[in-house]
Amino acid sequence: MSGLVFRQLFDSTSSTYTYIIGCAVTRLAAIIDPVYEKVSRDVKTVTELDLKLQYAMNTHCHADHVTGTAALRTATGCQTIISKASAAKADLFLDDNQTLKIGELELEARSTPGHTDGCMTFVLHSHKMCFTGDALMIRACGRTDFQQGDARLLYNSVHSRVFSLPEDFSVFPAHDYQGRTQSSVREEKLYNPRLTKPEEEFVTIMNNLGLKYPAKLDVSLPWNMRCGPTEAEDKDILADIVANKPPATLTV
């Protein structure tokens, strides 16, 4: 088993987890779900770990923060990645069951739609880890009332593609709002208050959550469909993100 360099980073504004996965032998690395405002932090972390960033990738096209993938490409020369089904822009597109090599590490891409139609779970079998994005969170799951959401599809995605993994696999979500950092397949199969329900009850729960309109959707989605801004720490873009102002020159 190849050695792993691993870091879990956090953005407190959007409660987003960003993950760095590096091969200890080749020093090649990937970053999962980077946040635009944290690009400088991420570049500094990669450098201090003596890693070369090969890929900047998203589990899906996010609606609650602007992605840092394009800015990381500008800063490091890495390639950007998202699922083909997302219809968002990137350098490389992943299909279901495709394997991505990061040095001697192999990351499997599993399609887990339902929160959005382009959601993927990334599985690092060698280290019993899965990065579930918003499909499966800790004692929760992603909402299904916008952005091609489908409660029934999400239920079946998680049960067939995540809960089918060995129970000792660690679950690393894209978000947590209560300070928890990870779970396991076993824990979520036993204790997830939504996904332990029968399918029809789950669908009813999801269709009646009554959630507010996502606060950053109007600014995040147009940028994220374009892979995010290309330059880090652009003052005008940062101001627009804070003000939730959609980018004037971009269309989805």
Side-chain angles (χ1 to χ4, degrees):
M1 180 174 68
S2 297
L4 174 68
V5 180
F6 177 70
R7 291 293 184 275
Q8 181 183 46
L9 305 171
F10 187 65
D11 171 52
S12 59
T13 301
S14 61
S15 296
T16 299
Y17 285 122
T18 296
Y19 301 97
I20 296 171
I21 302 170
C23 172
V25 177
T26 66
R27 312 308 296 181
L28 293 175
I31 190 167
I32 298 173
D33 290 337
V35 175
Y36 178 69
E37 296 95 318
K38 299 296 184 182
V39 166
S40 294
R41 175 203 66 184
D42 297 344
V43 171
K44 185 173 186 288
T45 302
V46 168
T47 301
E48 290 176 347
L49 292 173
D50 191 29
L51 297 171
K52 177 177 175 53
L53 196 62
Q54 186 177 13
Y55 302 119
M57 53 203 300
N58 284 302
T59 53
H60 63 292
C61 190
H62 297 274
D64 51 15
H65 67 271
V66 174
T67 182
T69 49
L72 283 164
R73 176 178 59 198
T74 301
T76 69
C78 69
Q79 291 183 296
T80 61
I81 296 178
I82 200 166
S83 70
K84 186 181 293 183
S86 72
K89 291 192 174 183
D91 299 314
L92 301 172
F93 301 98
L94 292 174
D95 289 312
D96 186 28
N97 298 321
Q98 190 170 343
T99 297
L100 187 70
K101 288 189 69 67
I102 307 163
E104 295 185 2
L105 300 173
E106 293 188 348
L107 194 67
E108 180 194 1
R110 293 191 172 196
S111 180
T112 48
H115 170 62
T116 74
D117 55 3
C119 286
M120 283 194 145
T121 290
F122 301 129
V123 184
L124 190 63
H125 290 274
S126 59
H127 290 78
K128 298 183 177 183
M129 305 166 81
C130 59
F131 302 89
T132 53
D134 288 11
L136 175 64
M137 296 190 286
I138 300 171
R139 309 298 190 269
C141 63
R143 61 193 294 175
T144 58
D145 59 335
F146 72 102
Q147 216 181 346
Q148 309 93 36
D150 184 319
R152 196 176 303 278
L153 183 58
L154 177 60
Y155 185 90
N156 285 289
S157 290
V158 173
H159 277 264
S160 65
R161 307 309 308 277
V162 182
F163 286 176
S164 60
L165 290 167
E167 291 190 339
D168 61 345
F169 272 45
S170 295
V171 171
F172 293 95
H175 305 281
D176 190 78
Y177 306 99
Q178 298 184 41
R180 299 165 299 195
T181 58
Q182 70 181 82
S183 183
S184 69
V185 171
R186 179 181 181 275
E187 288 175 60
E188 296 310 312
K189 286 170 70 174
L190 287 173
Y191 304 122
N192 191 292
R194 298 176 186 172
L195 287 155
T196 52
K197 299 291 193 293
E199 181 177 337
E200 293 302 325
E201 187 175 351
F202 174 82
V203 171
T204 299
I205 291 171
M206 297 304 294
N207 289 344
N208 291 278
L209 290 177
L211 298 174
K212 295 180 180 179
Y213 186 81
K216 293 295 181 182
L217 176 65
D218 292 339
V219 65
S220 297
L221 191 56
W223 273 122
N224 293 343
M225 290 297 291
R226 297 296 183 98
C227 201
T230 57
E231 299 294 333
E233 298 182 3
D234 182 292
K235 292 181 180 179
D236 291 335
I237 294 174
L238 290 171
D240 287 349
I241 292 173
V242 171
N244 198 27
K245 181 181 177 182
T249 58
L250 296 181
T251 57
V252 176

